[in-house]
Amino acid sequence: MPNAARLSVTGSERVGPYTLVRVERRGIEPGAAGQFFMLEAPGRLLPRPFSLCIAPPGELGFLVDPIGPGTEAIAALAPGDEIGVLGPLGNGYRLDVERPLLVGGGIGIAPLPYLLEQLGGSAPVALGFRSAEHAEAASLLPGAEVVVDPVLVTELIEPDSAGRDWDVLACGPEPMLRAVAALCPTAQLAWEAPMACGYGACYGCVVEIDSALKRLCLEGPVLDASRVRPQVEAVA
Amino acid sequence: MRLLNASGCLDALAAPEVARELDGFVTKTVTPLPREGAAPPRIAETAHGMLNAIGLANPGRERFLADHLPRLRELGVPVWVSVGGFCADDYAETCSRLTDIEAVELNLSCPNVDEAADSAAEIVAACRSATPLPLYAKLSAAHPDIAEVARAVAAAGADGLSLVNTLRGTALDKQLRPMLARGSGGYSGPALKPVALHAVRVCAEATGLPIVGMGGVASGRDALEFLACGARDVALGTVLFSDPGAPARVRSELAAACADAGVASPDDAVGIAKTPETGEKITA
């Protein structure tokens, strides 16, 4: 049983079009990078899933893209408000890689700051955003290489000067992840799906994994690229 | 009163700690053949509830019996198996293979697959011949006269009723496209409660059968209302998604709700709801 707690919001700050919501940590462990938490959305029936973005001492921070009533309610939380938090849930990134390259697209940069910290802070980071405003969120990852649409973040994935491939750890929109899977068959991809529960109860979050519909909350959200269908080139 | 989960709202093998807080675990519906289920998106939140179109995803009868059921029995929680199918023989064959479980719930009302060819009463009758286990018929409040269906399944040999299944619903996104890949799904959550309470009242009155009441139960007070309308047992559904601690919470709230209502115990509340004006039970 994952830990559940009601936690006080300790801070909320704008990061480009996103909001970084911080809650007190109390009995909730930050878990492995890439694991996720279900956050109560005030006034809504169902919680929403978020990967952990930052884990400062005593706090947990989540990057929220206010795209609907639930995420808007979470982004509108103010210090002192209390919300229910369940987690950490699912499977995160494996950190036993030799040459990590972090690749993020849009709100998919969310798990990367905590992942970078877990890796010791020294891995290269490549980020892609759809606009300059969205790219302001790159401030969460100082030193990252950043591209803005129409340049794609996958264009930054090249063998290093010695010609060696990277161990790509990625998170972003599905087309980006499929493109990364095609480029880097050994990549680890943090996938996304609508979820009602986060712990295997609702069967709502299925995605095609190993050629079958499986619950992302239990199998992922971080998946080996070999388990998903890579991007297929369009046939004229 | 026993506190159960609504079928399809908990995976006891994935979350055994949650299942152990219940007085019985009801499985996801088992069909004769494996079903991968509906394409995603499968769930959508609405203003007062949620839609799901899971499509009876399940491992199929043989794998359920060989692999899942033995592991479920080891949890130490009474197991209710939800049985589904597409004709009476489908249901009956599965029932005949079930042993060493608490009860069978016949899913006669899944909103996300085509209806079985046979009537609810025909299915219950076939299952009655196939098993001595307690048979609970799960009905939908979408039927114009659910009490009539309840009487028919009672006459066919049902030992109890599970009320209610979800209602079909549709939700659209900003671009006016259906939010679910299937277009429509089963509507559950708080909005279902008044519909479910009515179904429990009229079916309790019509049959006198034991009823597992469900539909929007999120608190001890909600559970007490189902009991007052005639349910003997109560199941938690959608609330488990947002609160895996709901079983223990609802149980403790129920004790307080009984005290608030001046009822000695949950079992003493069964069927006590009366109309304010006549003091009589409402029928249809």
Side-chain angles (χ1 to χ4, degrees):
Chain A
M1 174 79 180
N3 275 328
R6 294 195 63 78
L7 302 178
S8 286
V9 173
T10 51
S12 177
E13 62 204 83
R14 294 293 297 272
V15 185
Y18 310 119
T19 302
L20 184 63
V21 176
R22 297 166 187 258
V23 300
E24 60 176 339
R25 193 183 291 192
R26 286 225 312 248
I28 300 286
E29 294 297 322
Q35 283 191 291
F36 70 101
F37 295 78
M38 298 301 289
L39 268 55
E40 175 190 350
R44 305 300 301 181
L45 183 66
L46 300 174
R48 300 294 194 271
F50 296 91
S51 53
L52 183 65
C53 181
I54 57 171
E59 286 184 320
L60 303 171
F62 302 95
L63 194 62
V64 180
D65 190 5
I67 54 166
T71 45
E72 284 164 4
I74 293 168
L77 289 164
D81 291 343
E82 269 201 356
I83 57 164
V85 177
L86 180 73
L89 298 160
N91 300 304
Y93 294 99
R94 283 178 286 101
L95 304 182
D96 57 343
V97 294
E98 282 182 20
R99 300 168 35 71
L101 168 64
L102 279 51
V103 178
I107 186 64
I109 73 163
L112 302 188
Y114 180 54
L115 173 60
L116 185 62
E117 181 196 317
Q118 293 291 294
L119 287 166
S122 59
V125 181
L127 305 176
F129 295 94
R130 86 178 85 130
S131 75
E133 188 202 4
H134 289 85
E136 289 174 35
S139 63
L140 291 166
L141 290 150
E145 199 167 346
V146 180
V147 296
V148 174
D149 193 60
V151 182
L152 300 177
V153 70
T154 44
E155 294 172 35
L156 298 177
I157 305 175
E158 289 180 339
D160 70 0
S161 50
R164 294 174 300 183
D165 286 328
W166 299 97
D167 295 309
V168 171
L169 311 173
C171 184
E174 191 175 312
M176 183 201 105
L177 294 180
R178 292 200 192 281
V180 170
L183 281 171
C184 315
T186 62
Q188 299 178 56
L189 313 170
W191 217 263
E192 189 178 40
M195 281 179 191
C197 70
Y199 69 97
C202 77
Y203 295 80
C205 64
V206 294
V207 297
E208 193 180 317
I209 300 170
D210 306 326
S211 302
L213 293 176
K214 297 183 181 180
R215 287 170 285 181
L216 184 67
C217 66
L218 301 181
E219 301 286 332
V222 177
L223 302 170
D224 285 336
S226 59
R227 304 187 70 191
V228 302
R229 200 162 26 83
Q231 181 187 46
V232 179
E233 294 295 331
V235 178
Chain B
M1 185 214 73
R2 293 172 292 188
L3 193 60
L4 312 173
N5 64 291
S7 174
C9 296
L10 182 65
D11 178 351
L13 297 178
E17 309 86 353
V18 179
R20 288 197 185 99
E21 292 291 322
L22 297 165
D23 300 309
F25 168 71
V26 185
T27 69
K28 199 158 166 52
T29 296
V30 180
T31 55
L33 296 175
R35 289 175 59 88
E36 188 165 43
R42 290 177 165 187
I43 54 169
E45 189 190 59
T46 68
H48 306 289
M50 69 171 286
L51 295 171
N52 83 81
I54 310 302
L56 293 186
N58 81 96
R61 177 168 61 214
E62 300 308 324
R63 209 173 126 216
F64 174 80
L65 292 169
D67 175 48
H68 291 223
L69 187 54
R71 288 193 284 146
L72 288 171
R73 288 195 188 104
E74 286 173 10
L75 294 174
V77 181
V79 177
W80 294 48
V81 177
S82 172
V83 173
F86 300 93
C87 64
D89 286 348
D90 284 354
Y91 287 83
E93 168 71 14
T94 305
C95 285
S96 72
R97 306 273 304 276
L98 291 168
T99 55
D100 193 20
I101 60 167
E102 184 78 5
V104 174
E105 183 178 87
L106 301 174
N107 183 355
L108 305 172
S109 47
C110 177
N112 294 319
V113 295
D114 295 333
E115 274 184 42
D118 301 302
S119 73
E122 288 168 334
I123 293 168
V124 171
C127 295
R128 183 71 292 159
S129 311
T131 180
L133 288 165
L135 288 176
Y136 277 67
K138 188 165 185 181
L139 306 180
S140 163
H143 195 282
D145 186 355
I146 191 172
E148 184 59 39
V149 183
R151 273 189 287 267
V153 298
D159 299 293
L161 304 171
S162 293
L163 303 172
V164 292
N165 210 324
T166 56
L167 293 173
R168 281 199 178 93
T170 296
L172 302 182
D173 67 13
K174 282 179 185 165
Q175 289 77 38
L176 303 177
R177 298 169 305 200
M179 292 171 74
L180 300 178
R182 266 185 68 87
S184 296
Y187 189 42
S188 68
L192 201 56
K193 194 180 91 173
V195 176
L197 289 175
H198 172 77
V200 169
R201 291 181 70 141
V202 298
C203 291
E205 185 78 4
T207 67
L209 288 179
I211 292 172
V212 182
M214 69 196 85
V217 178
S219 68
R221 168 69 197 194
D222 293 335
L224 181 58
E225 291 184 15
F226 274 85
L227 298 175
C229 284
R232 301 255 185 101
D233 304 303
V234 174
L236 305 177
T238 303
V239 69
L240 288 168
F241 300 157
S242 59
D243 182 9
R249 177 178 58 78
V250 167
R251 217 186 287 276
S252 80
E253 288 174 356
L254 179 58
C258 285
D260 281 351
V263 181
S265 77
D267 289 337
D268 290 312
V270 175
I272 64 171
K274 304 282 198 295
T275 59
E277 288 179 8
T278 65
E280 292 173 0
K281 292 181 180 179
I282 294 176
T283 53

